[in-house]
């Protein structure tokens, strides 16, 4: 089936540094998402993105976070600067169209971010 | 508070038995309900979903039941097999027609031979 690829699978970074998480979405998809899962908790919605713009973001999407898809390929989540509480698994997802009831979200396997 | 809850963190079922996974939700504006399956270090994958205008949907060994008045939905897996062993995540969404899903914490299903 369609695949969403996330690179790398694990990233370790010192607090205060910048990190960019990369996502290669399904090729013909137009809508992109990031979810965050802290250890032992559920996956939580961070942000969705379409046509170069953030459509909706949650309270977890701090000012230090930004998303873009600069060259039409990778969809990225940048955190600058990182904080200890940013340690989590970040899941990328994509869908072809808008509206949960009509369109399946395809998820990547996640990038585990460890902030030291 | 948690808008979508899976009260059982784990479930163990004998091979060939029926696995019943439960999910409760709070937001009565949700109109889309889904179950995802996740293996360790793999992506969550959609198993089955329903919209709020139906109360049951079957797909092979999988059946999802929706009880809107009780704000509850469940996944039944018949003839459970060892390869069904995984984490099962329930999710709800669709309010306002958007794609924002709210997930439960997951139930670890173990099917033992």
């Amino acid at each position: 089936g369609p695949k969403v690829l996330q690179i790398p699978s694990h990233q370790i970074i010192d607090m205060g540094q910048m990190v960019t998480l990369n996502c290669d979405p399904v090729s013909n998809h137009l809508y992109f998402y990031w979810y965050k899962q802290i250890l032992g908790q559920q996956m939580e919605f961070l942000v969705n993105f379409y046509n170069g713009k953030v459509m909706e973001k949650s309270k977890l999407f701090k000012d230090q976070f930004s998303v873009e898809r600069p060259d039409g390929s990778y969809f990225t989540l940048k955190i600058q600067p990182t904080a200890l509480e940013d340690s989590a698994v970040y899941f990328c997802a994509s869908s072809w169209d808008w509206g949960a009831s009509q369109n399946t979200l395809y998820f990547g396997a996640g990038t585990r971010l460890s902030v030291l | 508070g948690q808008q979508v809850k899976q009260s059982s963190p784990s479930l163990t079922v004998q091979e060939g038995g029926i696995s019943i996974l439960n999910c409760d939700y709070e937001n009565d504006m949700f109109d889309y309900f889904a179950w995802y399956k996740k293996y360790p270090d793999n992506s969550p994958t959609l198993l089955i979903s329903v919209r709020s205008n139906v109360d049951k949907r079957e797909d092979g060994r999988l059946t999802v039941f929706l009880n809107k008045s009780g704000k509850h939905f469940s996944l039944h897996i018949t003839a459970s097999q060892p390869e069904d062993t995984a984490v099962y995540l329930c999710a709800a969404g669709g309010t306002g027609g958007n794609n924002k899903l709210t997930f439960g914490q997951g139930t670890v299903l173990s099917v033992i031979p």
Side-chain angles (χ1 to χ4, degrees):
Chain A
K3 296 277 189 195
V4 173
L5 299 176
Q6 290 189 243
I7 306 157
S9 58
H10 191 182
Q11 188 142 1
I12 302 172
I13 198 154
D14 290 325
M15 182 177 65
Q17 288 194 308
M18 181 195 75
V19 69
T20 301
L21 307 183
N22 295 303
C23 172
D24 188 8
V26 179
S27 61
N28 62 343
H29 284 186
L30 301 175
Y31 296 84
F32 313 105
Y33 315 82
W34 285 102
Y35 283 74
K36 176 182 180 181
Q37 184 176 28
I38 293 172
L39 185 66
Q41 298 183 24
Q42 66 262 58
M43 289 171 57
E44 292 191 86
F45 171 81
L46 275 179
V47 66
N48 52 22
F49 186 86
Y50 167 72
N51 198 26
K53 296 175 188 170
V54 169
M55 304 287 286
E56 185 179 0
K57 57 186 179 182
S58 74
K59 63 182 186 303
L60 296 179
F61 193 80
K62 304 182 300 185
D63 291 343
Q64 296 89 331
F65 288 23
S66 61
V67 291
E68 61 177 356
R69 197 180 183 218
D71 54 1
S73 58
Y74 281 164
F75 174 52
T76 62
L77 173 65
K78 183 189 293 185
I79 309 174
Q80 181 177 27
T82 50
L84 295 177
E85 60 265 26
D86 298 330
S87 294
V89 179
Y90 291 83
F91 290 94
C92 172
S94 69
S95 67
W96 182 76
D97 204 340
W98 190 245
S101 57
Q102 289 86 30
N103 297 284
T104 300
L105 263 64
Y106 291 88
F107 283 88
T111 294
R112 181 176 301 277
L113 176 66
S114 299
V115 181
L116 307 179
Chain B
Q2 274 184 269
Q3 286 208 36
V4 176
K5 295 180 191 175
Q6 293 177 256
S7 54
S8 297
S10 63
L11 174 68
T12 300
V13 173
Q14 202 77 35
E15 183 177 4
I18 299 177
S19 302
I20 301 175
L21 300 147
N22 295 299
C23 191
D24 297 296
Y25 62 94
E26 294 179 0
N27 189 341
D28 54 14
M29 296 299 291
F30 286 146
D31 65 0
Y32 171 80
F33 307 92
W35 285 95
Y36 280 76
K37 181 179 182 181
K38 188 181 183 306
Y39 294 115
D41 298 324
N42 267 275
S43 36
T45 304
L46 179 66
L47 278 179
I48 190 169
S49 63
V50 291
R51 295 186 64 183
S52 57
N53 58 347
V54 299
D55 55 16
K56 177 182 171 182
R57 184 180 171 202
E58 287 183 61
D59 184 1
R61 295 189 295 117
L62 308 177
T63 303
V64 59
F65 294 92
L66 174 62
N67 175 354
K68 285 217 78 179
S69 61
K71 297 185 188 176
H72 176 87
F73 61 109
S74 61
L75 175 67
H76 292 215
I77 306 174
T78 57
S80 298
Q81 301 163 6
E83 49 267 37
D84 295 329
T85 296
V87 177
Y88 289 79
L89 304 168
C90 66
T95 55
N98 67 35
N99 261 15
K100 186 171 71 176
L101 291 179
T102 302
F103 282 87
Q105 285 189 283
T107 297
V108 179
L109 173 64
S110 301
V111 180
I112 51 176

